[in-house]
Amino acid sequence: MTFGLVALIVVAILIVFGVTQRVLDKLRLSDTAALLFVGAMIVGTFLPDIPLGFGMSINIGGGIVPVILAVYLLVKAETSTERNRAIIASFIAGAAVFLVGRLFPSEPETMPIDPMYIYGIMAGLIAYLFGRSRRSAFIAGIMGMIIADGAQALTNMASGITAPVSIGGAGMFDATVISGLLAVLLAELVGESREKLQGGTAKKDMGYDKGHFTSMLGQDQENSDELSAPDIGPDSSCSVVEVYSDDDNVIITPVQEENEDENK
């Protein structure tokens, strides 16, 4: 069993026991959706590759399912800035992996470490550095490897090399899993540390419901007298709340309405 399959099985177990709940919330993935994607990747690796012509094919578990997952998360992104960062980071990671791969010997057996692990680690680091948020980093980590693999296939075709290339197959599946998991792990560790240094996160009073964060201030007030929330009601001057989302931070800002008597 390859490293990628073992890693996905471990991830599935962690999801079942709720260990990954915080990360999944950041990615806007439910436990069920995450398990479906993980299961599809595992099963897809054992299915025949889909031929694309010119000696190219694409693996279902290592190519098609990761692309579907990346597109799904990209659509769920709440701002165009985050989408743009994810796309740019994907191409940067893919270009870096492709160029470094050109420097390695044609026979990877001569290297002390499998280059696929190097590709995965490098793509994961670049994905985090340029993706920044958990979701963007994860998307870039996955798509970076797919882009690099596709670029190598197109290069072989242009050079007349007849060696078959399976996008997302063989060792590239392991590299894709390493890249995606490493990128989101780095984003989570750094993001968590940053939030603690800043005295917490604005989402501490937020709940995750149906793919979106919603305010839990009212429920917390019922259970604790220590939590104070803005007085928002028909007799209050603060009746409007602005919700601003920036990557992994959600800021709730009460908006003071002008007194109608003052406008008369």
Side-chain angles (χ1 to χ4, degrees), residues 168-209:
M172 194 58 72
F173 173 80
D174 293 341
T176 302
V177 173
I178 292 173
S179 178
L181 293 181
L182 178 60
V184 74
L185 180 62
L186 287 173
E188 173 63 18
L189 292 176
V190 175
E192 177 71 9
S193 300
R194 184 178 58 188
E195 289 169 0
K196 288 182 178 179
L197 290 174
Q198 293 174 347
T201 172
K203 284 186 180 175
K204 65 183 178 181
D205 296 324
M206 302 292 286
Y208 188 70
D209 181 32

Side-chain angles (χ1 to χ4, degrees), residues 106-129:
S106 57
E107 298 180 358
E109 295 81 7
T110 60
M111 298 181 60
I113 183 174
D114 192 332
M116 293 300 173
Y117 296 131
I118 299 177
Y119 296 151
I121 294 173
M122 183 176 63
L125 290 172
I126 295 174
Y128 161 68
L129 291 175

Side-chain angles (χ1 to χ4, degrees), residues 41-118:
M41 290 182 66
I42 295 175
V43 173
T45 58
F46 297 100
L47 300 177
D49 291 354
I50 298 177
L52 301 176
F54 303 100
M56 293 187 298
S57 62
I58 185 169
N59 185 269
I60 297 176
I64 294 180
V65 176
V67 170
I68 293 175
L69 175 57
V71 172
Y72 173 79
L73 294 176
L74 195 64
V75 172
K76 299 276 285 185
E78 297 172 352
T79 64
S80 58
T81 301
E82 187 178 13
R83 294 190 189 96
N84 294 335
R85 275 207 306 263
I87 294 172
I88 294 172
S90 297
F91 280 101
I92 293 176
V97 170
F98 175 76
L99 293 176
V100 170
R102 308 282 288 180
L103 302 176
F104 287 163
S106 57
E107 298 180 358
E109 295 81 7
T110 60
M111 298 181 60
I113 183 174
D114 192 332
M116 293 300 173
Y117 296 131
I118 299 177

Side-chain angles (χ1 to χ4, degrees), residues 202-203 206 241-246 248-254:
K203 284 186 180 175
M206 302 292 286
V241 173
E242 287 183 345
V243 179
Y244 171 73
S245 173
D246 182 15
D248 296 323
N249 298 319
V250 172
I251 302 173
I252 302 179
T253 305

